[in-house]
Amino acid sequence: MSQDPQPGAPHDPVGEVLRLLKSAAGPANPMVLLDGPPLSGVSRSMYEALQTQLPHARLHQLTAGELADACTGPDTSRLFFAPGHQCVVWLDGLSPADLVLLGQGFLDQVLPQALVMASVNSAWRERILRDRSTLTAPARTVLLEYAQRVSVPFTMTARERSYLRENGFPVSKGLAESLVGGENLIKHYRRAGWENRDGRLLVEAAVDVRRCGIHRPLSEDELHQLWLARCADGSDPRFQQALEWAGTAPQNASMGLLYPAARTPSRPAGGWRVLAYAAGADDGDHGHRARPLDDAWEQVRELLTGADDQYALGVAAHLHGRGGTARAALADAVERAAPEHPIADAARSALHCLSPDDLG
């Protein structure tokens, strides 16, 4: 469905993105940041605007870490050079750690060569802007000085509601949320507390990884270990049944709570992503009851031990006021990353910003 209810109106994020993209032909490319809650339609808004304004652009979908790696390579321009084409970098679902990393000077290298489009969850953005520490200062620089923000509203216009009804979709809270059956998925998730405890524990474990600041896909083995941390008497067959339940779309929904991630050169195995809308519900979005993270911080720190994960966990823990976890995770990231890797530098800088009162 084309989203152009009233061009130029506040509810028209595609029109706002189009306005910003018109400056893409100039010497300084913009960074366009789409800001909205999960399932507000930020990705659809990006693709629709890009197809309208820059249909022949060369699109690179990267993570912030992959972009930083590219910038430290011998010839950054090779990634973005496409004769006769505008290059666009799409950074989808930035975590707090991603924003801190991007603020380490990498955008200065990329924006002369490529347009950067990105998305961020509104809740993370607000939490970062409320934080006044030097640790998150690079992220605030990105949000306030580099990014031209486009807010993607969750509410629907009357036209969008009519479109859903005419095409047989359930009309719920938001457009993208209605298209995938977001509220039905949350009801399915909540009912699993007594209908499918193993499946519920698996989804909770994956949701909490995202709530702890780690937005990447999870491998089946990682999901298994996270599940066992909450279901100590679990067997392999029970885990497989739980994974099948979590990945199956329930009635009146078009996807599962867990869904296969796209394969990329950096992640050839793909893995599983968790529905970000479920993570938002557990954080208290849209009137849902928030679920405490409790022991999840330490479970995630013990089981996802890679430098990238520890760095992401450390930044998110700091934003949640968990200084000890932040210090321990950032120290692990420094120790486990290659000495000259961008993550090592970012984690080292973040660690130095922590207060001496933040004991490990």
Side-chain angles (χ1 to χ4, degrees), residues 233-274:
D233 59 345
S235 64
D236 288 351
R238 281 175 55 188
F239 168 72
Q240 290 300 327
Q241 291 170 2
L243 183 59
E244 181 179 359
W245 176 86
T248 300
Q251 187 176 5
N252 296 322
S254 61
M255 63 190 302
L257 291 158
L258 297 180
Y259 58 96
R263 299 175 186 271
T264 65
S266 63
R267 292 196 179 277
W272 293 87
R273 289 195 177 277
V274 65

Side-chain angles (χ1 to χ4, degrees), residues 27-62:
N29 291 300
M31 177 184 180
V32 179
L33 182 69
L34 292 101
D35 159 30
L39 291 184
S40 58
V42 291
S43 297
R44 182 178 55 83
S45 297
M46 182 278 292
Y47 282 113
E48 188 169 330
L50 201 61
Q51 183 61 35
T52 301
Q53 184 66 30
L54 297 171
H56 303 297
R58 184 175 178 181
L59 182 65
H60 302 270
Q61 183 161 353
L62 303 173

Side-chain angles (χ1 to χ4, degrees), residues 124 212-213 297 312-327 329:
W124 277 131
C212 286
W297 294 99
L313 177 69
V315 175
H318 162 76
L319 286 168
H320 278 269
R322 301 184 66 93
T325 301
R327 179 172 290 279

Side-chain angles (χ1 to χ4, degrees), residues 30 44 71 109 125 161 164 181 183 186 209 219 255 284 295:
R44 182 178 55 83
C71 289
Q109 298 181 55
R125 178 184 179 275
R161 290 181 179 276
L164 291 174
E183 281 301 294
I186 297 304
V209 169
S219 70
M255 63 190 302
D295 298 329

